Amino acid sequence: MPDPQTLFPENDRLRVYTDAMLPCFERTQESAARLAGLLVEAELVGRNSRFDNESLYLGLKSRDEAICLLASVDVSKADAHFHHHASLALERLCQAWTALEDRRQGLVAALDPLPMLQAAWREMQAASRILPGFDTVDFRNSCCAMHHQIAVSPH
């Protein structure tokens, strides 16, 4: 019987792509999580918060690693849809980090980083539905989401 890899070389190509993109996706998620934590900190402490420097450093480092990993991956037609969403996620995440830095610098025209972070997360969720192994957490079903459901339910 012929080897399935020789019958379907696109499966091997997709596996290679998936193996290459998984670290990129994980770094993107880590960077997004770090940024979300810094935004929560800014809300609790105030916009002039000095931030947790280690978290800021690790978030930016993860972002930069994701950018390098994304740039090093060869994309084929078979993985173009996933790659589109993964690229948009990283682009939106970079915009969110820039907006955060603009706010920290006190720029009057600084944008709110939260909508960009949310857009990045939506792109990561879209990508996660395209290929197996790229899981995200659905925060709509988290503990905090349950508080709203309890508050609006009749007693």
Side-chain angles (χ1 to χ4, degrees), residues 14-30 62 65-66 69-70 72-73 82-83 86 124 127-128 131-136:
L14 189 58
R15 184 184 50 75
V16 168
Y17 173 81
T18 300
D19 289 348
M21 279 302 292
L22 191 56
C24 176
F25 195 79
E26 290 170 347
R27 299 304 186 297
T28 303
Q29 279 189 310
E30 181 179 346
S62 292
E65 289 172 355
L69 288 165
L70 185 72
S72 70
V73 174
F82 175 88
H83 199 80
M124 283 186 275
S128 75
L131 289 177
F134 294 89
D135 300 322
T136 59

Side-chain angles (χ1 to χ4, degrees), residues 115-137:
M116 290 170 260
L117 177 59
Q118 291 169 325
W121 195 256
R122 284 190 301 273
E123 293 297 339
M124 283 186 275
Q125 288 177 319
S128 75
R129 291 187 294 270
I130 297 167
L131 289 177
F134 294 89
D135 300 322
T136 59
V137 176

Side-chain angles (χ1 to χ4, degrees), residues 9-148:
E10 65 276 2
N11 289 343
D12 190 45
R13 169 70 185 93
L14 189 58
R15 184 184 50 75
V16 168
Y17 173 81
T18 300
D19 289 348
M21 279 302 292
L22 191 56
C24 176
F25 195 79
E26 290 170 347
R27 299 304 186 297
T28 303
Q29 279 189 310
E30 181 179 346
S31 181
R34 297 276 181 185
L35 178 56
L38 291 171
L39 293 177
V40 169
E41 180 182 340
E43 283 300 313
L44 294 174
V45 178
R47 298 214 186 274
N48 294 330
S49 170
R50 300 197 77 185
F51 291 122
D52 175 352
N53 285 332
E54 184 175 359
S55 191
L56 178 66
Y57 167 76
L58 292 173
L60 291 171
K61 181 179 178 217
S62 292
R63 179 204 63 190
D64 293 345
E65 289 172 355
I67 291 168
C68 291
L69 288 165
L70 185 72
S72 70
V73 174
D74 291 326
V75 184
S76 72
K77 195 172 187 178
D79 29 67
H81 187 203
F82 175 88
H83 199 80
H84 168 75
H85 287 289
S87 297
L88 283 177
L90 192 50
E91 181 181 322
R92 302 295 182 264
L93 182 60
C94 288
Q95 292 168 345
W97 277 108
T98 298
L100 178 68
E101 185 54 31
D102 288 350
R103 278 193 163 190
R104 290 182 63 215
Q105 297 295 324
L107 298 179
V108 176
L111 299 173
D112 182 359
L114 183 58
M116 290 170 260
L117 177 59
Q118 291 169 325
W121 195 256
R122 284 190 301 273
E123 293 297 339
M124 283 186 275
Q125 288 177 319
S128 75
R129 291 187 294 270
I130 297 167
L131 289 177
F134 294 89
D135 300 322
T136 59
V137 176
D138 185 355
F139 291 107
R140 292 175 296 178
N141 296 321
S142 68
C143 173
C144 295
M146 294 306 295
H147 291 239
H148 175 70

